[in-house]
Amino acid sequence: MDRSLLTSLNEARAARRPVAVITELETGKKRLLLSTEVTGDSLEPQISARLTSGKSGVEETPQGDHFIQVYIPSVRLVVIGAVHITQALAPIAKACEFDLTIVDPRTAFATPERFEGYSLHADWPEEILNATLLDPFTALVAVTHDPKIDDFPLKAALEAGCFYVGALGSRKTHAKRVARLLDAGVDQNAIDTIHSPIGLDIGAATPAEIAVAIMAEIIEKLRNQSVLGASK
Amino acid sequence: MTETSFEKFDALMVAQNWVNEGRKIAIATVVETWGSAPRPTGSHLVIDSEGNFEGSVSGGCVEGAVVFDAVDAIESGKPTMLEFGVADETAWEVGLSCGGRIKVYVEPVTT
């Protein structure tokens, strides 16, 4: 491996860009391709498939064996609202190996005691959310019920291309939210992608059951829409 | 299965830091696994010419052998493929107790 390839690989990973490294096992020759550079490569179908599945492995080809290693950014979950549902959602998200960040400016909710061991910010989303936190490998759920807190992160998540954006609230609450987001200049098509009512319809009744429904909906989106191979 | 967090003990970041320090290094990568293998395909171990290492390609079962061959690869400048499994004659020394088999590709980093 060439030193410059190692550097480029680490740069791509640090920037959370999906990248593939292809090694010709006969010769040791390597090449690095960002997910945006795969088109036209002699192994394009194989590389694309592996970027989509997130799985590395050896491909046997007439030109010899190639090891295709894909580096996919870890999947993040940003939760707006340090509420009861979030207390149930946090351990589920952790078990599913999501990188979890919780944001709630209300210090009565965002206490270390309630969220011990989790990344918790008792700040306004405006102060925390930025391009390094929101990207296509991030899911955002807003569960405070408070437009002053929820609206900004919903808009920011849609703009950042987060693969899942969900908001708690009844259909009536959501209709008002849609009107506010339209007023704020958010595109109708983008607004239509917000999951609300939030979570798969499993008849969830308790905070823990709602958390399960939310997590299931996020995973469904992640696994069924080639999010892992998404490129930006 | 996804690449997890970007942390201090990330083998590829360690590799880059070591190269920047002028150390001669090799990178070992799990390229295939069969049966129960402790670390998934794509796992990395970085080794320098003194035998220092960071990361893992197994649960500690075969790292010693990989480091040994990596030091050779650094000297020769040539990549090599290693295979480990309980069927190995050397299983007692460097086999995988879990019963799986793994292939590890070891390549020197050239500057």
Side-chain angles (χ1 to χ4, degrees):
Chain A
M1 184 194 287
D2 189 71
R3 178 186 186 171
S4 62
L5 189 142
L6 175 64
T7 309
S8 304
L9 173 58
N10 280 335
E11 280 170 7
R13 292 166 67 232
R16 289 174 61 82
R17 301 186 68 181
V19 60
V21 174
I22 299 97
T23 307
E24 293 176 23
L25 292 176
E26 289 287 309
T27 61
K29 260 202 247 168
K30 293 176 97 85
R31 59 184 188 274
L32 178 150
L33 295 173
L34 295 171
S35 60
T36 50
E37 299 170 341
V38 177
T39 310
D41 190 275
S42 58
L43 293 177
E44 179 182 340
Q46 293 93 331
I47 299 168
S48 295
R50 290 195 176 277
L51 280 167
T52 303
S53 70
K55 286 191 174 147
S56 304
V58 174
E59 296 283 351
E60 291 169 16
T61 76
Q63 294 80 40
D65 287 357
H66 291 70
F67 178 59
I68 300 174
Q69 181 157 17
V70 291
Y71 299 86
I72 307 295
S74 58
V75 181
R76 281 200 187 117
L77 173 59
V78 176
V79 182
I80 308 301
V83 300
H84 198 172
I85 290 171
T86 312
Q87 286 177 288
L89 183 57
I92 299 172
K94 194 175 179 183
C96 295
E97 298 183 337
F98 280 61
D99 280 354
L100 178 67
T101 300
I102 303 160
V103 185
D104 195 327
R106 303 167 300 177
T107 49
F109 286 89
T111 69
E113 291 74 29
R114 285 160 54 85
F115 292 94
E116 201 179 341
Y118 296 102
S119 169
L120 175 71
H121 300 272
D123 296 292
W124 285 91
E126 285 84 335
E127 294 163 30
I128 298 296
L129 301 184
N130 53 43
T132 59
L133 198 58
L134 299 180
D135 65 20
F137 301 94
T138 304
L140 179 134
V141 305
V143 290
T144 70
H145 273 128
D146 184 341
K148 288 197 302 299
I149 304 171
D150 281 351
D151 282 6
F152 171 84
L154 289 172
K155 184 168 183 272
L158 293 172
E159 283 167 359
C162 290
F163 75 86
Y164 176 95
V165 182
L168 192 69
S170 65
R171 281 184 174 78
K172 207 169 149 192
T173 308
H174 188 59
K176 288 184 195 160
R177 180 186 291 131
V178 169
R180 287 195 309 275
L181 290 173
L182 281 172
D183 279 350
V186 182
D187 183 67
Q188 178 75 56
N189 292 333
I191 292 172
D192 290 345
T193 66
I194 298 175
H195 294 262
S196 189
I198 198 168
L200 290 187
D201 186 6
I202 56 172
T206 66
E209 290 174 7
I210 294 166
V212 168
I214 293 172
M215 203 63 217
E217 193 172 53
I218 293 170
I219 292 168
E220 181 186 49
K221 194 80 198 297
L222 174 71
R223 296 299 172 196
N224 291 341
Q225 303 221 347
S226 303
V227 173
L228 294 175
S231 53
K232 252 280 159 91
Chain B
M1 63 164 251
T2 52
E3 184 74 17
T4 46
S5 52
F6 217 71
E7 41 193 56
K8 195 177 156 196
F9 298 115
D10 179 274
L12 294 180
M13 285 306 296
V14 170
Q16 192 175 328
N17 292 337
W18 285 4
V19 170
N20 291 344
E21 288 168 16
R23 292 155 81 166
K24 291 188 188 314
I25 69 157
I27 293 174
T29 306
V30 178
V31 296
E32 282 190 274
T33 68
W34 295 265
S36 151
R39 298 282 286 125
T41 302
S43 301
H44 292 298
L45 180 74
V46 52
I47 307 101
D48 76 1
S49 55
E50 306 283 302
N52 298 300
F53 63 91
E54 194 71 68
S56 67
V57 290
S58 74
C61 327
V62 303
E63 270 75 3
V66 174
V67 168
F68 191 81
D69 283 298
V71 172
D72 280 354
I74 293 168
E75 274 174 28
S76 72
K78 292 197 178 97
T80 179
M81 188 73 82
L82 309 175
E83 198 168 337
F84 301 98
V86 283
D88 255 15
E89 282 177 23
T90 54
W92 190 247
E93 273 177 51
V94 295
L96 294 165
S97 54
C98 47
R101 275 201 301 144
I102 60 171
K103 257 189 183 178
V104 179
Y105 185 71
V106 181
E107 57 190 324
V109 174
T110 52
T111 52

